[in-house]
Amino acid sequence: TPNLTASQVVSLLQAFAKWDIQLEGVLSALMRRVEALADTLESRQLIAVFGILARLQWRDPGLVSTLCVSVQKSLGSYNDRSIHALLQALTKLKHKEEDLLQALVPHILKHTRHMTPAAVSTVLATYTRFEVHSDELLAGCVKCILDALPRVPTMSL
């Protein structure tokens, strides 16, 4: 695996996750390669790797922390969907990375008007689960929900 490019490693991992291939030795080698390439991964590749880790239920706190540092270095390149996917993966992995979660707050707030109700729910659930508090984030999410209310059809009981 030392000669595999970032793109090749991510593609292989996607195939393993898609077909639920659990070859621990091969996966371990690929994960070591991902960790070595973490600083060179593009934002979409980083998000894909987080999704793969969550889907495979791969528990490696050191790898996840390394990937979180790489995400934090390029926060400006993430949109609302990628932030949503990242938070879902961190929650599934049960990995609290407080520095990243705090750094994400202004980026989440920048994207709240584009977020789906499911994404807002994920944001609130993730920050609550990991006990990371931000009054600004809570206010932004509540505003997003209130702004969406006129678009929500009323229910008859």
Side-chain angles (χ1 to χ4, degrees):
T1 60
N3 297 326
L4 293 177
T5 66
S7 183
Q8 291 169 326
V9 172
V10 172
S11 293
L12 279 170
L13 287 171
Q14 287 173 323
F16 274 58
K18 180 178 181 178
W19 295 309
D20 198 26
I21 300 170
Q22 298 286 336
L23 298 173
E24 192 169 331
V26 177
L27 283 170
S28 291
L30 290 172
M31 295 304 181
R32 284 192 305 275
R33 184 67 179 147
V34 164
E35 192 165 14
L37 294 169
D39 283 338
T40 66
L41 294 173
E42 297 172 9
S43 57
R44 64 180 173 73
Q45 291 172 323
L46 280 165
I47 296 303
V49 170
F50 274 102
I52 291 162
L53 292 171
R55 184 166 180 165
L56 292 173
Q57 298 179 359
W58 191 265
R59 301 282 190 257
D60 184 343
L63 171 60
V64 177
S65 290
T66 297
L67 294 172
C68 286
V69 168
S70 293
V71 167
Q72 202 165 340
K73 290 177 183 176
S74 60
L75 281 178
S77 61
Y78 295 93
N79 61 26
D80 57 309
R81 287 184 301 270
S82 56
I83 291 170
H84 182 205
L86 173 63
L87 293 177
Q88 284 181 313
L90 289 173
T91 299
K92 286 180 185 173
L93 293 167
K94 299 177 183 163
H95 187 90
K96 177 181 179 179
E97 195 75 30
E98 188 154 359
D99 289 345
L100 175 60
L101 292 170
Q102 290 292 354
L104 276 170
V105 169
H107 298 280
I108 292 169
L109 292 170
K110 184 173 90 176
H111 293 291
T112 52
R113 68 174 188 254
H114 303 293
M115 287 185 154
T116 65
V120 174
S121 176
T122 297
V123 168
L124 292 171
T126 301
Y127 280 76
T128 300
R129 176 183 195 141
F130 292 135
E131 298 178 345
V132 176
H133 304 287
S134 167
D135 291 339
E136 188 180 16
L137 180 64
L138 179 59
C141 288
V142 167
K143 182 182 179 333
C144 179
I145 293 166
L146 290 173
D147 289 347
L149 284 178
R151 297 184 304 232
V152 175
T154 57
M155 294 175 45
S156 57
L157 300 174

Short mmCIF file of all heavy atoms in Angstrom, two decimals, residues 10 24 28 34 47 54 65 74 76 84 107-108 110 128-129 133 136 139-140:
data_model
loop_
_atom_site.label_atom_id
_atom_site.label_comp_id
_atom_site.label_asym_id
_atom_site.label_seq_id
_atom_site.Cartn_x
_atom_site.Cartn_y
_atom_site.Cartn_z
N VAL A 10 -8.76 5.85 -1.16
CA VAL A 10 -10.16 6.18 -0.87
C VAL A 10 -11.09 5.31 -1.71
O VAL A 10 -12.09 4.80 -1.21
CB VAL A 10 -10.43 7.69 -1.08
CG1 VAL A 10 -11.91 8.00 -0.96
CG2 VAL A 10 -9.62 8.52 -0.08
N GLU A 24 -9.48 -7.51 7.93
CA GLU A 24 -8.86 -6.60 8.90
C GLU A 24 -7.42 -6.24 8.54
O GLU A 24 -7.02 -5.08 8.67
CB GLU A 24 -8.93 -7.19 10.31
CG GLU A 24 -8.56 -6.16 11.35
CD GLU A 24 -8.88 -6.60 12.76
OE1 GLU A 24 -9.82 -7.38 12.95
OE2 GLU A 24 -8.17 -6.14 13.66
N SER A 28 -6.44 -2.51 7.79
CA SER A 28 -5.44 -1.85 8.66
C SER A 28 -4.35 -1.18 7.82
O SER A 28 -3.95 -0.06 8.10
CB SER A 28 -4.80 -2.87 9.62
OG SER A 28 -5.74 -3.29 10.56
N VAL A 34 -4.03 5.93 4.76
CA VAL A 34 -4.88 7.12 4.88
C VAL A 34 -4.27 8.08 5.90
O VAL A 34 -4.19 9.28 5.66
CB VAL A 34 -6.33 6.74 5.28
CG1 VAL A 34 -7.10 7.95 5.78
CG2 VAL A 34 -7.06 6.12 4.11
N ILE A 47 -14.15 13.71 3.83
CA ILE A 47 -15.53 13.42 4.22
C ILE A 47 -15.87 11.98 3.84
O ILE A 47 -16.53 11.26 4.60
CB ILE A 47 -16.51 14.42 3.57
CG1 ILE A 47 -16.23 15.84 4.09
CG2 ILE A 47 -17.96 14.02 3.83
CD1 ILE A 47 -16.31 16.01 5.59
N ALA A 54 -17.22 5.26 9.58
CA ALA A 54 -18.49 5.05 10.29
C ALA A 54 -19.21 3.81 9.79
O ALA A 54 -19.72 3.01 10.58
CB ALA A 54 -19.37 6.29 10.14
N SER A 65 -8.60 11.34 14.99
CA SER A 65 -8.06 12.62 15.44
C SER A 65 -7.17 13.26 14.38
O SER A 65 -7.23 14.47 14.14
CB SER A 65 -7.27 12.44 16.75
OG SER A 65 -8.15 12.16 17.80
N SER A 74 -8.80 22.97 6.73
CA SER A 74 -9.44 23.40 5.48
C SER A 74 -10.94 23.61 5.65
O SER A 74 -11.72 23.30 4.76
CB SER A 74 -9.19 22.35 4.39
OG SER A 74 -9.71 21.09 4.78
N GLY A 76 -12.91 26.08 5.46
CA GLY A 76 -13.60 26.94 4.50
C GLY A 76 -14.07 26.22 3.26
O GLY A 76 -14.92 26.73 2.52
N HIS A 84 -22.69 18.17 7.52
CA HIS A 84 -23.70 17.22 8.02
C HIS A 84 -23.14 15.80 8.01
O HIS A 84 -23.25 15.07 9.01
CB HIS A 84 -24.96 17.33 7.14
CG HIS A 84 -26.09 16.45 7.57
ND1 HIS A 84 -27.05 16.01 6.69
CD2 HIS A 84 -26.41 15.89 8.75
CE1 HIS A 84 -27.91 15.24 7.32
NE2 HIS A 84 -27.54 15.15 8.58
N HIS A 107 -18.76 28.01 10.82
CA HIS A 107 -19.05 27.47 9.48
C HIS A 107 -20.46 26.90 9.41
O HIS A 107 -21.14 27.05 8.39
CB HIS A 107 -18.00 26.42 9.11
CG HIS A 107 -16.63 26.99 9.04
ND1 HIS A 107 -16.16 27.69 7.97
CD2 HIS A 107 -15.64 27.02 9.96
CE1 HIS A 107 -14.94 28.12 8.21
NE2 HIS A 107 -14.60 27.73 9.41
N ILE A 108 -20.88 26.28 10.48
CA ILE A 108 -22.27 25.79 10.53
C ILE A 108 -23.22 26.97 10.46
O ILE A 108 -24.20 26.95 9.70
CB ILE A 108 -22.51 24.95 11.80
CG1 ILE A 108 -21.71 23.65 11.73
CG2 ILE A 108 -24.00 24.67 12.00
CD1 ILE A 108 -21.67 22.88 13.03
N LYS A 110 -22.78 29.81 9.15
CA LYS A 110 -22.75 30.38 7.80
C LYS A 110 -23.68 29.61 6.86
O LYS A 110 -24.22 30.17 5.91
CB LYS A 110 -21.31 30.35 7.29
CG LYS A 110 -21.10 30.99 5.94
CD LYS A 110 -19.61 31.07 5.62
CE LYS A 110 -19.20 29.83 4.87
NZ LYS A 110 -17.79 29.85 4.42
N THR A 128 -25.10 18.13 21.44
CA THR A 128 -25.68 17.72 22.72
C THR A 128 -25.02 16.43 23.21
O THR A 128 -24.63 16.33 24.38
CB THR A 128 -27.20 17.52 22.58
OG1 THR A 128 -27.78 18.76 22.16
CG2 THR A 128 -27.82 17.08 23.89
N ARG A 129 -24.92 15.46 22.32
CA ARG A 129 -24.33 14.17 22.70
C ARG A 129 -22.91 14.32 23.24
O ARG A 129 -22.52 13.68 24.22
CB ARG A 129 -24.31 13.23 21.51
CG ARG A 129 -23.63 11.93 21.82
CD ARG A 129 -23.54 11.01 20.65
NE ARG A 129 -23.21 9.71 21.18
CZ ARG A 129 -23.70 8.58 20.76
NH1 ARG A 129 -24.53 8.56 19.77
NH2 ARG A 129 -23.34 7.46 21.31
N HIS A 133 -20.93 22.99 24.15
CA HIS A 133 -21.95 24.04 24.26
C HIS A 133 -21.55 25.29 23.48
O HIS A 133 -20.40 25.73 23.53
CB HIS A 133 -22.19 24.39 25.73
CG HIS A 133 -22.57 23.19 26.54
ND1 HIS A 133 -23.80 22.59 26.45
CD2 HIS A 133 -21.85 22.46 27.43
CE1 HIS A 133 -23.84 21.55 27.26
NE2 HIS A 133 -22.67 21.44 27.87
N GLU A 136 -24.31 30.54 20.65
CA GLU A 136 -24.44 31.08 19.29
C GLU A 136 -24.97 30.01 18.33
O GLU A 136 -25.84 30.28 17.50
CB GLU A 136 -23.07 31.60 18.83
CG GLU A 136 -23.11 32.35 17.53
CD GLU A 136 -21.73 32.84 17.12
OE1 GLU A 136 -20.71 32.38 17.66
OE2 GLU A 136 -21.69 33.70 16.23
N ALA A 139 -28.68 29.31 19.12
CA ALA A 139 -29.51 30.41 18.61
C ALA A 139 -29.64 30.33 17.09
O ALA A 139 -30.73 30.54 16.54
CB ALA A 139 -28.93 31.75 19.03
N GLY A 140 -28.54 30.02 16.41
CA GLY A 140 -28.58 29.91 14.94
C GLY A 140 -29.47 28.77 14.48
O GLY A 140 -30.21 28.90 13.50
#
